[in-house]
Amino acid sequence: MRALVATGYGDPEQLTIAELAIPRPGPGQILVKIAASSINPTDLRVITGGYRDLVDLQFPYTLGNEFAGTVTEAGPDVTRFHVGDEIFGLALPRQLRSAADPVRPSLSTGALADYAVFEADTPALGHRPAALGAEQTASLLIAGGTTLAIMDTADISPGESVLVIGATGAVGLTLIPNLATAGAEITATARTTEAADLLRSLGAHHTVGYDDYPTGVDVVLNLALFADGLPAAARSLRPGGRLISIVFPPPEPRQLERDDVKLAFVMHMGDETNGAWAVAEAATAGRLSTPIARRYSLDDGVEAAIDYARRHPLGKIVVTV
């Protein structure tokens, strides 16, 4: 089968489409013929060495977290899925197990491939509703599930002011309409006029640059900054305000350089509250939608990864198989 792989640490230009053996499902696992997958920040951060303090990769390493596809084989003890089921979900490549749910880890052989093996018993996988297409669901679970988790944690009240940092990524573009529905006064970061126009069309009231944050806001949602950017973000908050971050590793209160605000970390692991079933239900009801910026075939998977890394698309990069 074909797979988008890294043969060593490096930039996305060093990726390749390789021919690998089709993996086999073991007990509790399923083999899925992939229809669509997507490129995500984790894919690129892993191959460039951003997680080497957690795991030292063994190569070749197959990329891919989100997917939609068809079950073609079920291993022993699998009762939840059957051959022919159309499913979708989120699973970390097995080498990233340390970052997965410790109780019911959602792991795979890598979803940017013709076939992948997944653990069947995880809420991060689910049946794909007929109303949602493969490309749509392959691009929805991380951004949609993270949006649900953020909204639950932030508990926005109508009229609260919210600064969204990193608003033009897939999570931000999925989140902004939900914040608008909750009645927030939304300020979002944007680097270009095109990005600012898109954010306003989704419900943002104001757009700012990364060096022009407002002050006195109730909530800061950090979708992009690492530790060195947190003090500037925290200075935007009023006393008693809330900063919620999704950027791994989890931030520590001392990194904010102020002790009069609240800090929370959200990491979407695909549990029952924000996993495949919850995301599918919200998407079917029209409450979640993640824009797709561009589509590539698996044969052009290297170009897809380069596009994501270098051109900062406004929406997801989907790879069809």
Side-chain angles (χ1 to χ4, degrees), residues 79-104:
T79 58
R80 186 175 173 218
F81 299 114
H82 302 90
V83 172
D85 285 357
E86 298 290 335
I87 70 170
F88 78 109
L90 163 65
L92 293 176
R94 290 172 179 171
Q95 294 191 52
L96 304 183
R97 185 185 183 97
S98 59
D101 187 310
V103 178
R104 296 168 72 185

Side-chain angles (χ1 to χ4, degrees), residues 171-204:
V171 173
L173 297 178
T174 308
L175 176 64
I176 293 293
N178 286 264
L179 292 171
T181 298
E185 181 74 16
I186 306 164
T187 300
T189 57
R191 298 185 187 277
T192 66
T193 300
E194 179 188 10
D197 290 344
L198 175 59
L199 290 168
R200 290 192 185 96
S201 75
L202 293 173

Side-chain angles (χ1 to χ4, degrees), residues 74-285:
D77 306 321
V78 174
T79 58
R80 186 175 173 218
F81 299 114
H82 302 90
V83 172
D85 285 357
E86 298 290 335
I87 70 170
F88 78 109
L90 163 65
L92 293 176
R94 290 172 179 171
Q95 294 191 52
L96 304 183
R97 185 185 183 97
S98 59
D101 187 310
V103 178
R104 296 168 72 185
S106 187
L107 303 170
S108 83
T109 54
L112 281 160
D114 284 315
Y115 291 88
V117 164
F118 299 87
E119 303 296 326
D121 183 23
T122 162
L125 270 60
H127 291 90
R128 176 168 65 85
L132 303 178
E135 293 181 4
Q136 182 181 7
T137 49
S139 62
L140 185 63
L141 193 48
I142 292 178
T146 302
T147 290
L148 294 179
I150 289 172
M151 295 302 296
D152 183 60
T153 301
D155 192 23
I156 302 295
S157 297
E160 282 196 305
S161 56
V162 179
L163 169 63
V164 184
I165 300 174
T168 54
V171 173
L173 297 178
T174 308
L175 176 64
I176 293 293
N178 286 264
L179 292 171
T181 298
E185 181 74 16
I186 306 164
T187 300
T189 57
R191 298 185 187 277
T192 66
T193 300
E194 179 188 10
D197 290 344
L198 175 59
L199 290 168
R200 290 192 185 96
S201 75
L202 293 173
H205 300 91
H206 318 283
T207 58
V208 296
Y210 280 81
D211 57 353
D212 189 29
Y213 300 150
T215 58
V217 302
D218 297 303
V219 181
V220 170
L221 301 178
N222 173 39
L223 314 182
L225 300 177
F226 293 104
D228 60 350
L230 293 178
R235 286 194 292 271
S236 297
L237 288 166
R238 63 167 175 79
R242 320 190 291 281
L243 191 151
I244 299 166
S245 179
I246 69 168
V247 179
F248 190 86
E252 300 175 12
R254 63 176 178 79
Q255 294 171 326
L256 304 187
E257 298 182 0
R258 59 183 296 185
D259 57 9
D260 60 342
V261 297
K262 300 173 183 177
L263 174 65
F265 174 67
V266 169
M267 184 173 183
H268 173 236
M269 300 295 289
D271 63 21
E272 276 79 359
T273 62
N274 53 45
W277 180 86
V279 168
E281 182 182 50
T284 302

